[in-house]
Amino acid sequence: DITNIMSTRIEIHGQGNGIGPSSTPNNAPIIDRSFPGILAGNMSESEWITFCNEVDRVLAPMGPLKTRRNYEIGIVGIIFFGLTIISYVGLLPTSPNDYIYGSLICGFLVIVMFFRTCSFIRKAKEIMNDLENVIQLKSAEKSEISFHVRGESFGGGKNRKARTINYIECSVGNAVGNTNVVSAMEVGGLPQRLQELEGIKYLISDDEY
């Protein structure tokens, strides 16, 4: 027997900074609720909606987290801008000590933002771990269906850090008896399946290939 596997990609919307056309109402990432065709006959629409609600519930804390992060960056940016204007334009009388105080304030803000960034990253990882747990529990409910959190990186280059977008990969597998036909993946897997077919070409007829 060979397992006939089909996979599709389920998008998670609103993973940016919460600003712009891709933002969501509460700045929290949300799952694409379009019912995947490969789940037909394996999961009811009501089960799918329940799953989507659970994913959105887990991702909801990311909204306030991003909003607070945006405010912190904005406030620090305004303070830096104000100190720069005062220092270089001379809006206020200054003395050598003023530059020292300004440098101390800037250094303090840098340290604060460093620890705030570490806290943001830690909490974001906790949310993603919770999402992984929800995905694993859903996968354990039915042996023929599996969900996995995947990441896709893009936009990287010299002196530029690549941005990673997460999505959920849904796979459906059913045992097929006495056949060597392997189905192509719905999204992004055709080249891989062609390679697999090439490897078993000697087992099947030209028509089946």
Side-chain angles (χ1 to χ4, degrees):
D1 291 352
I2 288 183
T3 301
N4 181 23
I5 299 177
M6 296 182 293
S7 298
T8 190
R9 172 171 171 155
I10 303 169
E11 300 292 347
I12 298 177
H13 302 301
Q15 296 185 64
N17 57 12
I19 301 174
S22 62
S23 62
T24 55
N26 298 317
N27 284 344
I30 56 174
I31 189 174
D32 185 344
R33 290 175 172 260
S34 302
F35 186 75
I38 64 172
L39 291 179
N42 293 285
M43 177 183 287
S44 67
E45 291 195 18
S46 61
E47 289 176 316
W48 168 251
I49 292 174
T50 300
F51 171 66
C52 291
N53 290 339
E54 186 65 15
V55 170
D56 286 350
R57 182 191 66 79
V58 170
L59 294 176
M62 187 67 77
L65 195 63
K66 291 196 299 181
T67 300
R68 186 165 57 250
R69 174 70 173 170
N70 290 337
Y71 282 137
E72 291 172 352
I73 292 175
I75 291 172
V76 170
I78 291 173
I79 294 175
F80 271 111
F81 180 75
L83 291 174
T84 301
I85 294 297
I86 292 173
S87 299
Y88 293 97
V89 180
L91 294 179
L92 296 175
T94 58
S95 67
N97 287 335
D98 293 331
Y99 292 103
I100 295 176
Y101 295 146
S103 298
L104 290 176
I105 293 174
C106 290
F108 174 75
L109 291 175
V110 169
I111 293 173
V112 170
M113 286 305 297
F114 171 77
F115 283 104
R116 293 299 298 165
T117 299
C118 291
S119 175
F120 175 83
I121 294 174
R122 177 179 57 81
K123 291 178 180 178
K125 287 183 177 180
E126 290 175 356
I127 292 173
M128 292 306 298
N129 288 337
D130 291 340
L131 177 61
E132 291 274 7
N133 292 334
V134 169
I135 295 299
Q136 291 176 4
L137 289 174
K138 177 57 64 174
S139 297
E141 291 180 2
K142 298 185 178 182
S143 60
E144 67 275 13
I145 302 176
S146 64
F147 295 94
H148 303 278
V149 178
R150 306 296 189 193
E152 179 182 18
S153 299
F154 63 93
K158 187 177 181 180
N159 299 324
R160 291 183 59 189
K161 184 178 180 180
R163 181 187 177 191
T164 300
I165 293 294
N166 294 301
Y167 64 93
I168 298 174
E169 181 185 73
C170 172
S171 300
V172 177
N174 297 298
V176 180
N178 299 323
T179 181
N180 292 308
V181 179
V182 182
S183 67
M185 295 174 66
E186 268 192 33
V187 178
L190 184 55
Q192 176 184 347
R193 290 308 182 191
L194 288 176
Q195 291 179 358
E196 293 177 357
L197 282 173
E198 191 68 25
I200 62 171
K201 184 177 179 180
Y202 68 95
L203 294 174
I204 61 180
S205 67
D206 291 339
D207 290 339
E208 289 174 326
Y209 180 75

